Amino acid sequence: MEQRVEPVCSPQLLDPAREELGRGAVDWAIRLGRDVAARAVLNFPEFGSGAPQLATLRLGTESAAIIAMLGIDRGDGETPEITEDAVRAIQDWVHRGIPLHIIWAAMRQGHSWLAEGYMRACVESVPIAAQPDQLQLTSEVLFNFVNRFSAAVGREYGEEHERWIMSTVAARDEVVRSILDGKIPDTTDAENILHYTLSHRQHIGVVLWADTVEGASGSALHTSAMALLHAVGAEQTLLVPHGRHSMHGWGNSVRPFIGQGTDSPAMLAAGVRAAVGTSHDGVDGFARTHEEAAASKRVTEILPGISEPIVDFPSVHLLTLLAQDREKATYFVRAELSDLAGDDAQHSELRKTAIAYLRHRRSPLAAAQELFVVRNTVAYRLKRVEDLLGHSLDERTLETWAALVLKESLVCDASAPRERN
């Protein structure tokens, strides 16, 4: 028996559907919608691959799967062309700047996956004699629904986009985008719109995002961003929502920032993570610190082993350069570490010993003190490391160090809870 998938759609859609179709049938449609969304994020990375972004995409795919089932059950009878859940997803995509042509392309591909799921179910569940008629009906229902759904999406997207560009938030967002693109025409006008001083100030940028669906509320992101920026010593703050599940923020000061304030992750709301840039001066510094924060966030997506609630740019600077392509980074690790790249606890222990040894300038004593083991244990482990590598740690030291650091960041123990101080 397949495990039940928790729905993301509202009771306004689910309850009547369950009453008409039965709970088991609706649960099947929910699983199909989840599977279509999971395939879509692999083919259309613009939607984002985090849990909250996937949940938003499921608002559309889950709605489509359920409405299609209602249409099939009714013999291509009247069904809604779009749901409030799907509208919520469209609003998020507009605010995040996902183009309509990407959404439509995803819908076309999603239609084929929905059809594949329903056709397969028809073959498995319907008597052979009735299959031709049922397959024909299913094909017609899906075709008609997707045509009406596409038109509704285009209409809702246009209306939301019009509301968005007329809003104050959009005006601030446009100014920020211009600054980040290096196209700001007038600093004074920008400061008046943002209510934030750009010139002759030190700036520090942060990017916050919901690590779980539960942490997706705008208030949680806002509260966490303010707490973080005040902790680093910001005198003025600027927050710009980036869709429903992330937020970009800046803080400035007339004095240099002292420390990063990233050693207190408890200031973040549950389910929220943050990336922090380093401080830079002036308008160019405003853009540069944001680029650093954004790069720090990207590296956490590429390297799941980086699981700290707050990630500051200096701690991952090297990794942002090494891991721009996860596939190439994984290949590099395997090529450099050879048999040392195993994923079990023993190999991990050996790699950590090698990292400590190299970090302490090849001092077995210093590595032993860091690892709380005796020096002979370090010596034994280092011998095993070199056996697995196939060469001495004195050879290809830079490449070996980079591969060791990358490997530890690529590995993610999903069962281990994230600690907060």
Side-chain angles (χ1 to χ4, degrees):
M1 182 177 179
E2 292 191 70
Q3 186 177 6
R4 182 175 180 272
V5 174
E6 194 66 28
V8 296
C9 283
S10 64
Q12 287 75 13
L13 173 64
L14 295 171
D15 291 346
R18 285 169 176 154
E19 184 175 346
E20 179 173 340
L21 302 168
R23 180 174 292 273
V26 173
D27 285 348
W28 181 89
I30 290 169
R31 286 196 300 273
L32 178 59
R34 185 273 314 272
D35 294 344
V36 169
R39 295 173 72 174
V41 298
L42 296 177
N43 288 268
F44 301 93
E46 293 86 353
F47 289 105
S49 58
Q53 288 77 26
L54 179 60
T56 298
L57 187 56
R58 282 182 58 199
L59 289 171
T61 59
E62 191 174 295
S63 295
I66 293 172
I67 293 174
M69 181 174 283
L70 287 169
I72 294 169
D73 182 69
R74 297 170 184 175
D76 203 17
E78 187 65 28
T79 56
E81 60 181 8
I82 197 168
T83 67
E84 289 301 317
D85 296 307
V87 171
R88 284 166 51 206
I90 294 167
Q91 291 169 346
D92 178 74
W93 299 333
V94 169
H95 300 173
R96 288 167 53 203
I98 299 176
L100 182 57
H101 70 86
I102 294 293
I103 298 171
W104 270 336
M107 286 176 56
R108 286 193 296 272
Q109 185 63 66
H111 171 228
S112 68
W113 291 329
L114 277 177
E116 175 186 301
Y118 273 102
M119 297 297 182
R120 183 171 58 249
C122 180
V123 170
E124 292 172 354
S125 305
V126 177
I128 294 177
Q131 283 184 12
D133 289 342
Q134 191 64 32
L135 288 170
Q136 178 68 26
L137 172 64
T138 300
S139 177
E140 291 175 358
V141 167
L142 288 171
F143 181 80
N144 292 337
F145 165 67
V146 168
N147 273 349
R148 292 186 295 115
F149 188 65
S150 297
V153 166
R155 182 183 67 250
E156 293 292 340
Y157 187 98
E159 292 176 359
E160 181 61 27
H161 187 265
E162 188 68 23
R163 287 191 293 267
W164 172 247
I165 63 176
M166 296 297 291
S167 71
T168 303
V169 173
R172 298 172 74 196
D173 185 70
E174 183 178 354
V175 170
V176 168
R177 289 177 188 268
S178 297
I179 297 172
L180 298 181
D181 291 340
K183 300 176 181 177
I184 179 173
D186 188 295
T187 301
T188 301
D189 285 346
E191 291 176 337
N192 289 335
I193 293 172
L194 298 176
H195 301 289
Y196 179 89
T197 305
L198 296 166
S199 302
H200 311 298
R201 294 286 183 105
Q202 291 284 322
H203 301 278
I204 192 162
V206 298
V207 173
L208 294 94
W209 68 99
D211 196 32
T212 65
V213 175
E214 291 76 14
S217 72
S219 60
L221 292 168
H222 184 277
T223 301
S224 299
M226 293 297 291
L228 183 55
L229 289 170
H230 286 149
V232 300
E235 297 169 3
Q236 283 184 323
T237 58
L238 171 64
L239 301 180
V240 179
H242 188 64
R244 295 174 60 217
H245 307 298
S246 64
M247 180 168 289
H248 298 167
W250 290 262
N252 68 26
S253 174
V254 294
R255 296 173 293 277
F257 288 97
I258 306 299
Q260 295 291 302
T262 60
D263 54 351
S264 300
M267 73 180 72
L268 301 182
V272 173
R273 296 181 69 189
V276 185
T278 54
S279 62
H280 297 284
D281 183 62
V283 177
D284 291 339
F286 178 93
R288 185 175 178 185
T289 187
H290 172 76
E291 290 168 1
E292 292 176 349
S296 301
K297 178 182 183 294
R298 281 195 300 274
V299 83
T300 68
E301 297 168 346
I302 297 170
L303 305 176
I306 302 174
S307 58
E308 295 82 2
I310 302 177
V311 181
D312 62 89
F313 181 71
S315 68
V316 295
H317 192 172
L318 176 62
L319 293 176
T320 64
L321 302 175
L322 295 175
Q324 295 187 40
D325 185 309
R326 182 189 174 98
E327 185 176 347
K328 290 180 179 178
T330 302
Y331 178 81
F332 171 77
V333 166
R334 291 173 179 167
E336 290 297 329
L337 298 187
S338 186
D339 293 337
L340 186 58
D343 290 328
D344 57 276
Q346 183 179 13
H347 284 83
S348 177
E349 185 178 70
L350 292 174
R351 290 193 297 270
K352 289 175 181 176
T353 301
I355 289 173
Y357 173 71
L358 293 174
R359 181 167 53 242
H360 291 292
R361 301 183 181 182
R362 300 184 179 86
S363 169
L365 178 60
Q369 291 172 341
E370 177 185 322
L371 299 170
F372 299 104
V373 297
V374 298
R375 182 172 176 173
N376 285 346
T377 298
V378 170
Y380 169 76
R381 291 179 184 174
L382 293 176
K383 177 65 168 61
R384 287 284 298 130
V385 165
E386 293 183 337
D387 288 344
L388 293 169
L389 284 174
H391 61 77
S392 166
L393 282 169
D394 293 330
E395 302 173 28
R396 298 186 64 78
T397 303
L398 178 59
E399 292 85 350
T400 301
W401 165 261
L404 286 166
V405 173
L406 270 176
K407 177 61 182 179
E408 292 309 295
S409 299
L410 280 165
V411 175
C412 179
D413 183 0
S415 64
R418 183 174 298 141
E419 296 183 0
R420 290 199 174 188
N421 298 328

